[in-house]
Amino acid sequence: MAAFADLDLRASSDLKALRGMVETAAHLGYSVVAINHVVDFKEKKQEIEKPVVVSELFTTLPIVQGKSRPIKILTRLTIIVTDPSHCNVLRATSSRVRLYDIIAVFPKTEKLFHEHNQYFIILMERNTTNHPWIPGMLLVASFIKCKMIAVLKDFVSIKEVACTHLDVDLVCVTVTEKLPFYFKRPPVNVAIDRGLGFELVYSPAIKDSTIRRYTISNALNLMQICKGKNIIISSAAERPLEIRGPYDVANLGLLFGLSESDAKAAVSINCRAALLHGETRRTAFGIISTVKKPRPSEGDDDSLPACKKAKCEG
Amino acid sequence: MATLRGLLETPRHLLVCEKSNFGHGKSRHRQLVETHYHNYKVSFLIPECGLLSKELKNLVMEMGPYYFVKNLPLHELITPEFINTFVKKGSCYALTYNTNIDEDNAVALLPNGKLILSLDKDTYEETGLQGRPSQYSGRRIMKFIISIDLMDLSFNLDSKKYERICWCLKEKKPLKFDFLLAWHQTGAEESTMMEYFSKYQIQERQPKVAMSTLRSLQCPVLQSSTLRGEPEASCGGPELFDWLGAVFCDVDLNNEPNSFISTYCCPQPSTVVAKAFLCTVTGFILPEKIHVLLEQLCHYFDEPKLAPWVTLSVQGFADSPVSWRENEHGFWKGGEHLYNFVIFNNLDYWLQMAVGANDDCPP
């Protein structure tokens, strides 16, 4: 079994409140927490901020209750997408995005929810004539189960399709309002195969009874399609009082339609899977990772530039 | 609808009740007490008793020291010196402390020389020892059990198997845990745990004892011959078990309408007992000491007493990897494994063994 994790503690500018939340989570028995920075691109010109530095938050990490180890704090970024252009920030290998351990996306429309789960390929540009390698391209596409967006009959003007696959670890499911769309099984299955997790939050349900109904009905809809696989339940807590203990959250999973073992896995094993997915995202196929080597101080260097130095050594 | 039906079910739990007599040749009481290795809490309840007798009091106070070691590397438990000094000369028990069995790794040493490691998937793959997946894994196997027989190893220390185990635990993946240790020695005392582990921070601890006298307690009426109970005449085993739990939790047994905490009421038929003595010992308690306590409680009825029966309950550690013998124990929503003796004045006894969800049936 894996250790219990709460992957969504809302970051705020108030460090003291954040500290209180992490201490409460450690007291309740969570071994891993992730501090979530939410970015909404609907407002104009939102910049992705730098994640909270853990050493600033705590000099000594609080010990998890019932164990002798301190709690592990990770950082997470959630992007609320309402428009396909918002996804571009994930495609660009911006250094800001790479600073976070887990990336999550909160799609607001059906198109974005279903389609981002699949691979797209960049098709040809417009105004191309019959290229001989078009059939080959189609064959490759069918192999890797891609979805072609639009292939016009005369191969002349093929629409340029945006984006690559979205490189995220979690997909958030809305709980505060009635689901604007129904889930479709094929894209959800592709997402599960890719290792994406679907996240449900429970702290809005604590605050309001109407939201409670929406949470449960949205969760039951999701369970019918995905059969309880790859589900994560987390608090979107902004205050320490909104966090609940891991076994209580596992019992809450029963209300959402999960079986007993799936509900306990939603707080432990699936969270571990999402963390590992986040780690491998930064590596090449999960096998090779790069670490930035610290540059030697200037005093050691000769005045020779680096390329010439390599020639001398070689 | 399936969700609603699922919500009505409680997690699986088992209660095994049996009755016998202490004088009976084939009585299993000794074997069951001695194979329940890791005991956390021992409580006994004597109705119609205000003060404890001297023998019982001495026994309770001498439930033995146990030891707590911080950050003990696991390879220390497989060294030949440890095996020869402690495991072979008596019964040595060890259990990791502050580890949750459903979340992290746990290790237990049984008196028959078996070292049981209950590891999560990552640690198991890094350690590289041969083990089997846990019985309670489900679809995805996340927990593995490794069983190392120390007695077997100590006979051939040069074998490849021993070298590999040493290498895995010392160099490949050195594991360190906080341990609770206890040792019941047979034979002359040659060395103690305090001296052996003096390099590490070892502390000797005494079990905590809590005694109280309960006044005007409602007790169910029991007849030793009818385990199931007869309506209007006596109560059955499961009803007694529930009642005992309520008494230990200090719950009112009146079913008062304005009580927020409990609506439990004492099973009928019941009598009111003027006073009852309840004693609880908490710590890492040896089964041998529990057996001595059980015999002493049987001797309680050597002289005629008002009490019709006495009870002795023993609870195991929720995070122990084994329950009885080497039956695997897990923590689902609760990790209880406990047993309860009801001793009657004619030396008949009822034995009730209870386990939770991720457990085998008690023997």
Side-chain angles (χ1 to χ4, degrees):
Chain A
M1 296 287 173
F4 293 122
D6 187 357
L7 291 185
D8 192 348
L9 292 184
R10 288 291 153 96
S12 60
S13 44
D14 185 6
L15 283 183
K16 196 149 166 272
L18 203 51
R19 235 176 269 148
M21 275 205 291
V22 174
E23 278 166 11
T24 314
H27 178 70
L28 287 171
Y30 288 102
S31 307
V32 179
V33 287
I35 299 182
N36 188 8
H37 297 256
V38 181
V39 169
D40 191 354
F41 282 119
K42 220 165 35 176
E43 288 125 47
K44 284 180 82 170
K45 269 293 157 194
Q46 274 263 358
E47 284 267 322
I48 298 182
E49 57 207 20
K50 277 201 176 158
V52 169
V53 179
V54 176
S55 50
E56 269 177 37
L57 208 51
F58 285 104
T59 43
T60 48
L61 293 167
I63 306 265
V64 179
Q65 192 204 72
K67 307 215 196 131
S68 355
R69 279 197 319 263
I71 196 169
K72 196 167 153 192
I73 306 182
L74 302 168
T75 50
R76 172 187 150 169
L77 175 69
T78 302
I79 304 180
I80 305 182
V81 288
T82 40
D83 196 76
S85 62
H86 296 163
C87 310
N88 291 340
V89 71
L90 284 170
R91 187 168 43 124
T93 46
S94 68
S95 57
R96 285 283 172 89
V97 170
R98 286 174 72 80
L99 288 172
Y100 291 89
D101 298 309
I102 307 174
I103 311 265
V105 73
F106 193 161
K108 289 280 194 188
T109 65
E110 173 173 19
K111 198 163 185 288
L112 283 165
F113 187 93
H114 289 126
E115 293 189 352
H116 91 261
N117 288 335
Q118 298 174 318
Y119 281 97
F120 297 123
I121 50 172
I122 299 181
L123 292 182
M124 288 69 67
E125 289 158 14
R126 301 173 59 172
N127 297 327
T128 54
T129 49
N130 260 339
H131 271 246
W133 47 276
I134 292 175
M137 195 86 168
L138 292 173
L139 198 60
V140 167
S142 64
F143 248 108
I144 54 177
K145 287 193 197 151
C146 293
K147 181 176 168 183
M148 315 287 276
I149 291 303
V151 178
L152 288 182
K153 225 172 151 191
D154 58 356
F155 289 138
V156 167
S157 58
I158 295 176
K159 282 205 177 116
E160 182 181 53
V161 178
C163 69
T164 59
H165 60 277
L166 278 190
D167 216 359
V168 295
D169 308 313
L170 292 177
V171 177
C172 304
V173 175
T174 173
V175 293
T176 50
E177 55 192 6
K178 194 158 162 11
L179 261 183
F181 52 86
Y182 287 115
F183 295 110
K184 281 195 228 142
R185 205 171 288 225
V188 168
N189 284 342
V190 170
I192 292 177
D193 286 335
R194 273 179 64 199
L196 293 186
F198 292 97
E199 191 201 25
L200 288 162
V201 293
Y202 62 81
S203 81
I206 295 176
K207 297 185 215 170
D208 187 45
S209 64
T210 327
I211 295 181
R212 225 170 281 162
R213 273 188 286 143
Y214 291 144
T215 310
I216 297 182
S217 69
N218 293 355
L220 288 172
N221 278 338
L222 182 61
M223 293 318 147
Q224 276 182 338
I225 302 294
C226 76
K227 303 274 187 297
K229 291 192 214 160
N230 284 25
I231 301 285
I232 291 181
I233 306 181
S234 57
S235 69
E238 286 155 14
R239 283 188 294 274
L241 270 180
E242 292 166 11
I243 311 179
R244 294 291 178 267
Y247 292 104
D248 295 330
V249 178
N251 285 337
L252 185 65
L254 294 178
L255 267 183
F256 290 166
L258 291 165
S259 70
E260 278 202 23
S261 54
D262 283 337
K264 202 166 170 191
V267 204
S268 55
I269 303 175
N270 296 343
C271 296
R272 171 182 168 271
L275 293 180
L276 290 176
H277 194 275
E279 278 183 32
T280 55
R281 192 173 24 87
R282 290 190 276 187
T283 68
F285 291 98
I287 301 173
I288 307 172
S289 69
T290 57
V291 175
K292 208 166 179 180
K293 201 170 150 188
R295 297 182 68 180
S297 60
E298 295 299 333
D300 293 321
D301 280 351
D302 297 336
S303 51
L304 288 170
C307 51
K308 282 206 176 153
K309 218 164 69 168
K311 259 195 180 161
C312 297
E313 286 167 357
Chain B
M1 275 334 276
T3 317
L4 285 177
R5 239 178 288 131
L7 287 173
L8 287 172
E9 291 165 5
T10 50
R12 180 204 99 147
H13 50 279
L14 283 178
L15 175 65
V16 174
C17 302
E18 61 178 44
K19 72 171 163 65
S20 176
N21 186 296
F22 282 115
H24 203 283
K26 286 195 193 161
S27 170
R28 294 195 306 154
H29 64 275
R30 187 181 182 130
Q31 183 202 22
L32 284 168
V33 169
E34 288 184 351
T35 52
H36 192 255
Y37 300 124
H38 304 118
N39 305 300
Y40 167 62
K41 198 189 257 199
V42 177
S43 338
F44 56 89
L45 176 73
I46 309 178
E48 307 282 9
C49 170
L51 277 177
L52 210 50
S53 72
K54 215 159 39 118
E55 297 91 17
L56 274 175
K57 196 161 188 181
N58 286 341
L59 257 183
V60 160
M61 288 307 180
E62 281 167 23
M63 290 289 241
Y66 63 95
Y67 306 95
F68 174 62
V69 187
K70 265 182 114 63
N71 282 336
L72 182 68
L74 194 53
H75 64 83
E76 287 279 349
L77 292 183
I78 57 168
T79 54
E81 296 89 35
F82 179 80
I83 301 177
N84 290 331
T85 321
F86 295 106
V87 180
K88 285 195 174 165
K89 301 205 174 93
S91 319
C92 188
Y93 303 81
L95 182 64
T96 45
Y97 184 63
N98 263 353
T99 56
N100 293 359
I101 189 134
D102 59 341
E103 288 182 62
D104 347 269
N105 311 318
V107 175
L109 175 63
L110 309 183
N112 57 0
K114 289 248 172 78
L115 187 67
I116 311 271
L117 292 99
S118 168
L119 305 177
D120 64 28
K121 186 163 179 274
D122 298 330
T123 320
Y124 175 70
E125 288 171 358
E126 284 169 19
T127 309
L129 288 171
Q130 177 96 17
R132 58 173 177 83
S134 151
Q135 279 178 300
Y136 305 110
S137 294
R139 268 185 304 202
R140 275 173 295 185
I141 301 178
M142 299 295 285
K143 193 150 227 2
F144 292 86
I145 311 283
I146 303 177
S147 174
I148 304 176
D149 193 347
L150 295 177
M151 297 293 216
D152 191 39
L153 278 182
S154 64
F155 287 129
N156 30 4
L157 287 170
D158 297 325
S159 63
K160 276 196 170 174
K161 196 168 158 190
Y162 184 71
E163 277 176 30
R164 170 148 179 105
I165 295 178
C166 277
W167 175 74
C168 288
L169 294 180
K170 253 192 223 175
E171 288 165 29
K172 188 165 192 297
K173 177 87 182 167
L175 292 167
K176 281 192 183 176
F177 297 101
D178 297 341
F179 272 99
L180 288 172
L181 295 162
W183 184 42
H184 176 77
Q185 64 213 48
T186 49
E189 183 175 323
E190 285 163 9
S191 62
T192 65
M193 288 216 159
M194 291 290 284
E195 292 164 8
Y196 188 85
F197 290 116
S198 50
K199 281 189 291 189
Y200 305 97
Q201 302 161 290
I202 183 166
Q203 297 166 3
E204 184 178 308
R205 292 189 179 172
Q206 290 288 341
K208 286 204 247 302
V209 180
M211 300 195 208
S212 62
T213 310
L214 310 168
R215 307 265 167 207
S216 306
L217 180 67
Q218 280 182 324
C219 291
V221 169
L222 303 173
Q223 280 175 1
S224 66
S225 46
T226 50
L227 186 56
R228 286 181 206 268
E230 274 173 40
E232 306 298 335
S234 66
C235 298
E239 290 163 333
L240 169 78
F241 196 66
D242 289 337
W243 172 83
L244 204 57
V247 170
F248 287 158
C249 295
D250 206 18
V251 166
D252 283 333
L253 300 167
N254 297 328
N255 191 12
E256 276 165 18
N258 56 350
S259 166
F260 180 70
I261 298 174
S262 157
T263 55
Y264 181 74
C265 65
C266 185
Q268 298 301 323
S270 66
T271 59
V272 176
V273 157
K275 51 185 178 347
F277 193 85
L278 174 63
C279 177
T280 307
V281 185
T282 317
F284 190 55
I285 301 169
L286 292 166
E288 286 85 359
K289 300 261 161 74
I290 297 177
H291 184 69
V292 171
L293 181 62
L294 184 63
E295 310 237 291
Q296 191 60 39
L297 281 174
C298 295
H299 288 305
Y300 182 78
F301 291 116
D302 286 346
E303 300 157 3
K305 292 269 172 25
L306 275 175
W309 42 260
V310 301
T311 63
L312 171 72
S313 314
V314 178
Q315 290 189 25
F317 276 91
D319 296 313
S320 160
V322 295
S323 53
W324 271 271
R325 287 197 291 250
E326 285 169 42
N327 294 352
E328 194 188 323
H329 169 76
F331 193 104
W332 183 236
K333 300 275 171 74
E336 62 271 10
H337 54 123
L338 57 134
Y339 62 89
N340 178 44
F341 278 98
V342 184
I343 307 160
F344 293 93
N345 45 13
N346 54 357
L347 287 192
D348 276 349
Y349 70 86
W350 287 359
L351 170 59
Q352 293 155 324
M353 295 180 279
V355 290
N358 277 1
D359 269 295
D360 286 338
C361 189

